[in-house]
Amino acid sequence: MNQVLTKRSLVALAMLTSLLLATSGCAGGARASSWTGLTVVDDTLYVADLQQARAMNATSGETLWTFPRNPEENNQGLFYASPAVSDAEQVFFASQLTTGGFFSQRQSIVWALDVETGEERWRFAGATGMYVEGGALGDGLFVIGNGDGNVYALDRETGALQWTFETGHRVWSTPLIVSDTVYVGSMDRNLYALDLQSGEAKWTFKTDGAFGGKPALSDNTLYVGAFDDTVYAIDAETGEERWRFRGDEWFWGSPAISDGVLYAVDVKGTVYAFDARTGNLNWQKTLVTDQNQPVSVRAGVMRNDDGSRLFVSSESGTLYALDTTAEGFVDWSSPAGGQGLSDPAVNGSLVYQTLIGGTSRVRALEIDRGREAWSFPPPEEG
Amino acid sequence: MLDFIIYPLANVLLLLYNYLGNQTVLAIAALTVLTRLLILPLTLSQQRSARKMQELQPEIEKLRDKYGDDQEKLAQKQMELWREAGVNPAGGCLPLVIQLPIMIALYRAIIFCVPSTPLQLFQFAGHIRVDQWLPSLVGLVPLQNTFLGMDLGQPPSPAQWWSYSLPILVFATSWLQQKLLSPSSATGDGGSQAEMMSQQMQIMMPLMFGFISLQYATGLSIYFIISNLFGMAQYYFIRTNRNGVDEKEVMPKRRPKK
């Protein structure tokens, strides 16, 4: 009897151990739990490249500097959130450092680095949750949301904490700073307008869905999508709703606006174009794979300088270029290995995409034809 | 691989959350009880199998005394005895094999609804179905993630030191359940290798569950605790409904040590 019981227990123990090994990451290697991001300023690309912060020549893809220089010896965690670049020649990254063990504290760190050299200026390790999207800069402050539910405002010269604003859930979206106001959405289903200097709430816009994307602003109107399948247009001064559009799926990524037209994409890959003033739908286009299968989209839409093209990165790594003058006709699509979950960026004639889990982590494509200009690491080093 | 179980479970969790006052812990507890009720026939079969094996224990002991020196013959006679009694000695393993994937699926469902990372949340996007039947459920995800100041989507951490009480509770309730359900304390000779191993398992299993609770989201600890309490309640319910006869009373007495 006991032998049978023991066998049974051994079976259970073996299965539990397998479960533990399969799901705990003990198999080795850093597993991404979010997406990496990039920002391009003055022909320099700043990339949160998982194990490093990286500055690259945006035209050639040449690496200018990395931080830390050797992550094997000087592990500073995993870099996810899109960087922000200030006039004061600092670039701000965020990383998530897990030291392991039962009683370790997971550290989330904001880094201020020198834009020229990548040297550390200061760091801030006061948050306890995960930084998912990047921060925003305004009037001497760097403001960023965190998975612990707080919005942090740091002095951008010293990193000193100026104020925190507590929301009811995780803050996984990038704030938008306009003049003296910070607009930030939380998973608590509220969009907040905060006073930039004090962090006090000016108004709160309540919805039925969480906010994951950065709002877009035009003509004193904020545009933002939410997890209640809805795109909202909100008066930036008063927080009153101007119009809303109810779709079929979550709107996670940030919308884009150009010439009075608002573009937004839902997580099932349907791109919508609205009249920004009225909310009337101009056109919609559902993206599919070459095999006519539906695609998933986390990232927001990005437009080129004249607004004639939209770029959408799908979860499966394909970057789509849509012609806005032809109701979203797909001009070209460029597949890649890995997941493309972060917003693309545009600089001149190139569009940039970050990928996780593939051979390339960053790539640059020509806007007109979708031809790959360069990728990092290059194919032979991948 | 288990998506066909995970997503329906996650959707049921959303429904429960909606109807239980948007209380995540209540929803997890209710889903745990529902899942345990769903697999009740399996656990009862497991317990029935164990009980039958207990009842055959005196016969097994006699066979051991008789054929102890001839292991092959002993095994053959044991198999005959089990066959005659209609007992499958491996019958208790199948329910375990089925229960564990359900446990894994339930954990994944909890993680989808109370995610600690955006990738977990994104994996669930597009798999929510209940909002198509009940539009009022649109936008429920992610569920409220705090309970008594603890983040249900994160493992226990020093910043929330009281969250370490959950792994302790998981260990304690697992140990109690093992103690109740294991008949080894009432049968067999305490010195046999098999019983020693069995006793070690009584500690190892709760330790393993406690270890898992330290490493994973505290929402999983809620599931473990409720599941263990359900197991104990089930044990007492079955025991008191067996014509008022205490199960341990019908168990064979300890064999005197030679």
Side-chain angles (χ1 to χ4, degrees), chain B residues 205-232:
Chain B
M205 292 287 281
L207 274 178
M208 183 64 89
F209 281 112
F211 174 76
I212 291 173
S213 304
L214 274 172
Q215 295 285 305
Y216 289 86
T218 49
L220 183 66
S221 299
I222 303 293
Y223 160 70
F224 281 146
I225 293 165
I226 301 297
S227 185
N228 291 337
L229 292 175
F230 184 95
M232 285 188 269

Side-chain angles (χ1 to χ4, degrees), chain A residues 1 4-6 8 10 15 19-20 23-24 33-35 102-103 169-170 189 208 228 246 250 298 315 341, chain B residues 53 57 89 92 96 100 115 117-119 122 128 138-140 142-143 145 151 158 183 194 201 211-212 215-216:
Chain A
M1 172 63 200
V4 176
L5 267 179
T6 306
R8 208 171 290 167
L10 281 170
M15 292 184 73
L19 159 71
L20 204 64
T23 55
S24 66
S33 53
S34 183
W35 42 86
F102 295 146
F103 302 105
H169 213 300
R170 307 191 194 289
R189 298 164 180 77
D208 292 330
D228 56 0
R246 181 70 177 268
W250 293 2
R298 200 304 305 172
E315 184 264 348
L341 297 166
Chain B
M53 296 294 288
Q57 188 63 16
L96 272 177
L100 279 169
T117 73
L119 277 188
F122 184 66
I128 301 169
V138 167
L140 271 188
L143 307 186
N145 64 334
D151 189 331
M201 283 299 164
F211 174 76
I212 291 173
Q215 295 285 305
Y216 289 86

Side-chain angles (χ1 to χ4, degrees), chain A residues 13-296:
Chain A
L13 200 59
M15 292 184 73
L16 274 173
T17 308
S18 309
L19 159 71
L20 204 64
L21 289 173
T23 55
S24 66
C26 292
R31 290 195 312 169
S33 53
S34 183
W35 42 86
T36 54
L38 56 80
T39 302
V40 58
V41 177
D42 295 337
D43 207 36
T44 302
L45 201 60
Y46 300 93
V47 187
D49 189 19
L50 208 58
Q51 289 188 306
Q52 289 173 306
R54 183 181 298 277
M56 311 174 82
N57 181 301
T59 307
S60 66
E62 176 198 0
T63 294
L64 304 174
W65 54 256
T66 57
F67 175 86
R69 288 201 170 86
N70 186 350
E72 304 294 327
E73 289 177 5
N74 183 23
N75 178 24
Q76 300 294 6
L78 297 177
F79 291 79
Y80 294 116
S82 295
V85 183
S86 77
D87 299 335
E89 298 188 337
Q90 290 179 104
V91 55
F92 301 87
F93 285 89
S95 73
Q96 174 90 358
L97 184 60
T98 305
T99 51
F102 295 146
F103 302 105
S104 70
Q105 181 81 47
R106 290 172 302 280
Q107 271 198 313
S108 294
I109 307 169
V110 172
W111 302 92
L113 308 177
D114 186 292
V115 285
E116 295 296 330
T117 63
E119 295 294 323
E120 178 185 339
R121 294 268 187 92
W122 53 258
R123 71 177 78 175
F124 169 77
T128 58
M130 188 176 189
Y131 292 111
V132 172
E133 294 286 348
L137 291 153
D139 201 17
L141 295 177
F142 175 68
V143 182
I144 189 166
N146 185 271
D148 62 12
N150 293 318
V151 180
Y152 295 88
L154 310 173
D155 183 299
R156 74 181 185 195
E157 295 302 321
T158 64
L161 181 65
Q162 300 301 300
W163 53 259
T164 60
F165 178 81
E166 186 179 354
T167 77
H169 213 300
R170 307 191 194 289
V171 183
W172 281 347
S173 61
T174 301
L176 171 72
I177 297 180
V178 180
S179 184
D180 62 347
T181 306
V182 181
Y183 302 98
V184 63
S186 166
M187 292 281 164
D188 69 1
R189 298 164 180 77
N190 291 321
L191 179 75
Y192 297 95
L194 310 176
D195 181 87
L196 179 58
Q197 289 308 320
S198 67
E200 286 175 10
K202 292 181 173 179
W203 51 257
T204 301
F205 183 77
K206 295 180 188 299
T207 69
D208 292 330
F211 288 98
K214 176 183 177 179
L217 182 86
S218 179
D219 292 335
N220 205 33
T221 304
L222 292 167
Y223 301 93
V224 64
F227 290 5
D228 56 0
D229 306 348
T230 304
V231 175
Y232 294 93
I234 304 156
D235 186 304
E237 284 296 321
T238 63
E240 286 176 7
E241 181 179 318
R242 290 195 167 158
W243 56 259
R244 68 169 70 184
F245 170 84
R246 181 70 177 268
D248 298 320
E249 296 289 345
W250 293 2
F251 289 91
W252 194 327
S254 306
I257 192 156
S258 176
D259 289 335
V261 181
L262 178 76
Y263 302 99
V265 60
D266 70 18
V267 295
K268 282 294 183 187
T270 299
V271 181
Y272 297 88
F274 307 98
D275 181 313
R277 195 176 54 82
T278 63
N280 291 335
L281 185 63
N282 294 346
W283 53 262
Q284 69 183 71
K285 170 83 179 177
T286 299
L287 301 174
V288 292
T289 65
D290 290 343
Q291 291 75 39
N292 212 29
Q293 296 298 307
V295 302
S296 297

Side-chain angles (χ1 to χ4, degrees), chain B residues 153-209:
Chain B
Q154 296 283 357
S157 70
Q160 298 158 352
W161 55 267
W162 58 96
S163 59
Y164 288 108
S165 63
L166 288 178
I168 293 170
L169 277 173
V170 169
F171 172 80
T173 53
S174 301
W175 182 80
L176 271 174
Q177 186 183 225
Q178 288 280 323
K179 188 87 180 159
L180 279 175
L181 297 183
S182 171
S184 60
S185 60
T187 63
D189 52 349
S192 77
Q193 191 185 4
E195 182 158 340
M196 280 171 64
M197 281 184 72
S198 179
Q199 284 172 354
Q200 283 174 359
M201 283 299 164
Q202 281 182 38
I203 293 294
M204 286 295 287
M205 292 287 281
L207 274 178
M208 183 64 89
F209 281 112

